[in-house]
Amino acid sequence: KGIRRFPYSTDMTKSPLTFEDVATVSLTPQGEPSPHALGEVWGNMLWDLYWAMVDEYGWDADLYTGTGGNNMTLQLVFEGLKVQPCDPGFIDGRDAIIAADEALFNGANRCLIYEVFARRGLGYLASQGSNYSHGDGVSSFETFPLCIEELKLSKTVTPLIYAGENIDINLHVVNHRPLTLTG
């Protein structure tokens, strides 16, 4: 088992760690969060990303010029490291990988990346809090809204209507489906 609490695995029953676990990591004798416990959560997220990309694009044995999902993931992570800010938090790291995907692959994997991170609590609405505190982040398991291919409807209605007054109803419709809808 070593220094990890759980093995790296895409199976959430074998490795259930999420961004919520960052707040509860053990502290070193100096009162700092254990770097291994923090890295274990981030490592699981990257492990999930690696295998999701391999599932999508295949695995390529050519480590230098290959074009498989394994090669693409390494490119995304390394390029992400180059564009993330100093003293990054988890959200900074995720956003840097998304920026790398935009630069390298024209954003073709944005939804896949968001879905992978959202599965472990680092979704679109997550907040990392202070980069210098491990306990103030907020998890989100929601993916990027544009990645949810559905027709989204919301409405507002006048809350209280007295006799003889008009009722105002506002409908807001957003089509995030890949097809044009009518009617």
Side-chain angles (χ1 to χ4, degrees):
K1 186 172 171 179
I3 58 175
R4 293 190 202 110
R5 295 169 283 178
F6 302 98
Y8 288 134
S9 176
T10 58
D11 183 341
M12 294 293 280
T13 63
K14 292 181 180 170
S15 179
L17 295 172
T18 67
F19 186 51
E20 292 172 345
D21 293 298
V22 170
T24 61
V25 298
S26 59
L27 299 179
T28 65
Q30 295 79 27
E32 297 293 322
S34 167
H36 299 294
L38 291 174
E40 180 181 25
V41 176
W42 181 248
N44 268 290
M45 291 177 181
L46 295 182
W47 185 260
D48 287 357
L49 178 61
Y50 178 89
W51 287 108
M53 292 288 287
V54 168
D55 287 346
E56 184 70 22
Y57 297 103
W59 189 85
D60 193 329
D62 183 347
L63 299 178
Y64 298 103
T65 59
T67 58
N70 55 321
N71 308 95
M72 294 169 72
T73 304
L74 291 175
Q75 288 179 299
L76 290 173
V77 172
F78 281 110
E79 292 303 314
L81 289 171
K82 295 176 185 178
V83 299
Q84 71 185 13
C86 295
D87 297 325
F90 277 67
I91 300 292
D92 295 325
R94 179 206 66 196
D95 290 351
I97 290 171
I98 291 169
D101 180 60
E102 186 66 39
L104 294 170
F105 305 113
N106 203 27
N109 304 295
R110 179 189 326 188
C111 290
L112 182 144
I113 295 167
Y114 262 114
E115 287 169 12
V116 166
F117 281 108
R119 182 172 174 256
R120 297 249 180 211
L122 205 61
Y124 180 69
L125 299 174
S127 169
Q128 70 190 16
S130 168
N131 293 6
Y132 302 103
S133 173
H134 71 285
D136 62 349
V138 177
S139 292
S140 167
F141 296 89
E142 300 294 324
T143 191
F144 187 63
L146 295 178
C147 296
I148 303 169
E149 295 180 350
E150 63 184 22
L151 185 67
K152 297 173 176 110
L153 301 168
S154 62
K155 69 176 180 177
T156 57
V157 180
T158 305
L160 182 63
I161 301 101
Y162 294 102
E165 288 187 345
N166 291 329
I167 299 171
D168 292 324
I169 301 173
N170 295 304
L171 294 176
H172 183 74
V173 181
V174 179
N175 181 15
H176 288 157
R177 298 190 61 175
L179 305 171
T180 301
L181 298 176
T182 61

